[in-house]
Structures are given as C-alpha cells and as structure tokens.
Amino acid sequence: QKALSCHDARKSPQKYCVVTQSPNFLHDFCRFSEITFLILRNMKKLYNNVTIITGGGKGIGFGLAKAFANEGSNLVITGRVAERLQQAKEQLEKVYGVKVLAIVADGTKEEDVKNVIGQTIRTFGKINTLINNAQASKSGLPLIEHTVEDFDLAINSGLYATFFYMREAYTYLKEIKGSVINFASGAGFF
C-alpha cells in the first residue's frame, strides 16, 4: 500500500480508515487519530437514517428532502406523479449521495400507505423520521365557493393520510424512538 500523508487524509478523509505499515507505531497512531477526527468532523448528523417524506417530489416536500439528504439521511419520497418523483430521486442521489426510494402513492388510500411502509422496511429495515407534508386542497378559493367534494379532498388528503401514515409507521418508529413531523395547511387561517 502507498504511504498515507496527513495532507491526503485532509483532502479525502472518508477514503482512509486504517493507517499502518510503518514501523513507527506512535507516528501511525497520531495519523490515525487525526484521520478519525477528520472523519467524525465531516460526518452528517443524520447519516444512515431513513426519512419518509410525503409529497417529497416538489415544493416544500422537495425542500425538506434536500435538507434531510444534506445531513446524510436516506429518503423515501412519495407523491402521485411518477415522473416528478423519478426526477427528484435522481437529483437527490446525484447531489447528496444518499439512497432514495421514490414511490407513487396516494395517502388517501390505506393500501398505498401500507405499501410505502412495507417497501421502506424491506429496503432499509427501519424508519427514523416520518414527515407528513402532502395535502391536496382548493386553496385560494373563498370559503363560500367550496363544495363538499373540495372539503372532503382536504380532509382525506390531510387528516386521513396523516393518520394512515402514522398508524402504519408506529411500530417501526416506536422501536427506534423515531420522530413524526406533521405539516398543516395555512388555509386554516382564512
């Protein structure tokens, strides 16, 4: 093996885990300690975590996906448009180097939610964080113009989807002492 210099380690600390081959044990130990420090300093806070983000292919959900990926979390992003999810997956994997599972799912359908949780566990074996971000609504319409169908859309995609995801993920989140983050619509202020 090529001798490792501290300069090499500073340039690419993730490449080097073990340093030996020199008869000078103390020198090797000092270099190893410096490399270990560099690796720990550069580790991401959420390295090897698994985060599910509903609506992770666009808007706030995609912004959340970028933030969690930047900290090293692997991701499961859901949404209703396969092409958008695939584009988001490719960008996140390329830019952040994390593993991303993109799943087409409608949170108003219990079977879709069960499928998301099942695929997540089969792929990653755990769930650290669940972010319920997606919700469809007729935001911008005056209340007087909302129909019962519009109201049902908001309730089903917001409250019910959040309930379905939390219920299905509960066992896995409890096991790992994970977190749930629920977003709500600003439409409630109007």
Side-chain angles (χ1 to χ4, degrees):
Q1 283 183 333
K2 178 184 151 191
L4 172 69
S5 72
C6 289
H7 176 73
D8 292 333
R10 280 190 202 98
K11 283 182 11 191
S12 187
Q14 288 80 4
K15 276 180 155 178
Y16 306 101
C17 295
V18 177
V19 181
T20 112
Q21 295 234 333
S22 168
N24 186 342
F25 172 77
L26 184 57
H27 184 253
D28 282 350
F29 179 76
C30 291
R31 282 196 284 166
F32 182 75
S33 296
E34 181 176 359
I35 293 165
T36 303
F37 171 77
L38 289 169
I39 291 169
L40 291 174
R41 186 183 72 194
N42 290 316
M43 277 184 70
K44 305 289 186 167
K45 293 176 187 170
L46 301 175
Y47 177 74
N48 205 29
N49 277 9
V50 177
T51 303
I52 298 174
I53 303 173
T54 66
K58 70 174 188 170
I60 293 169
F62 186 60
L64 289 165
K66 291 192 289 188
F68 275 74
N70 188 53
E71 291 300 329
S73 183
N74 293 312
L75 303 170
V76 177
I77 56 173
T78 71
R80 294 178 291 166
V81 181
E83 298 80 27
R84 183 181 298 135
L85 288 171
Q86 187 59 35
Q87 290 172 352
K89 169 188 168 57
E90 290 170 6
Q91 183 179 348
L92 292 162
E93 288 179 337
K94 180 180 177 183
V95 173
Y96 301 101
V98 297
K99 185 171 182 182
V100 179
L101 182 60
I103 305 172
V104 174
D106 180 342
T108 67
K109 299 177 180 173
E110 287 184 76
E111 289 307 312
D112 282 10
V113 174
K114 288 178 182 181
N115 179 51
V116 169
I117 301 304
Q119 283 193 51
T120 301
I121 296 305
R122 284 190 298 280
T123 302
F124 296 109
K126 64 181 179 177
I127 302 169
N128 296 87
T129 309
L130 167 64
I131 302 177
N132 288 302
N133 164 70
Q135 181 175 8
S137 69
K138 299 284 181 151
S139 294
L141 273 181
L143 177 63
I144 195 74
E145 294 177 25
H146 274 78
T147 65
V148 171
E149 291 79 19
D150 296 337
F151 188 73
D152 286 344
L153 173 68
I155 295 298
N156 290 332
S157 66
L159 292 176
Y160 279 106
T162 297
F163 166 70
F164 295 152
Y165 272 102
M166 290 190 310
R167 183 184 65 192
E168 296 306 317
Y170 176 80
T171 302
Y172 306 105
L173 289 164
K174 183 178 179 186
E175 181 179 298
I176 204 163
K177 296 186 178 170
S179 301
V180 176
I181 300 170
N182 293 326
F183 280 74
S185 170
F189 292 118
F190 299 104

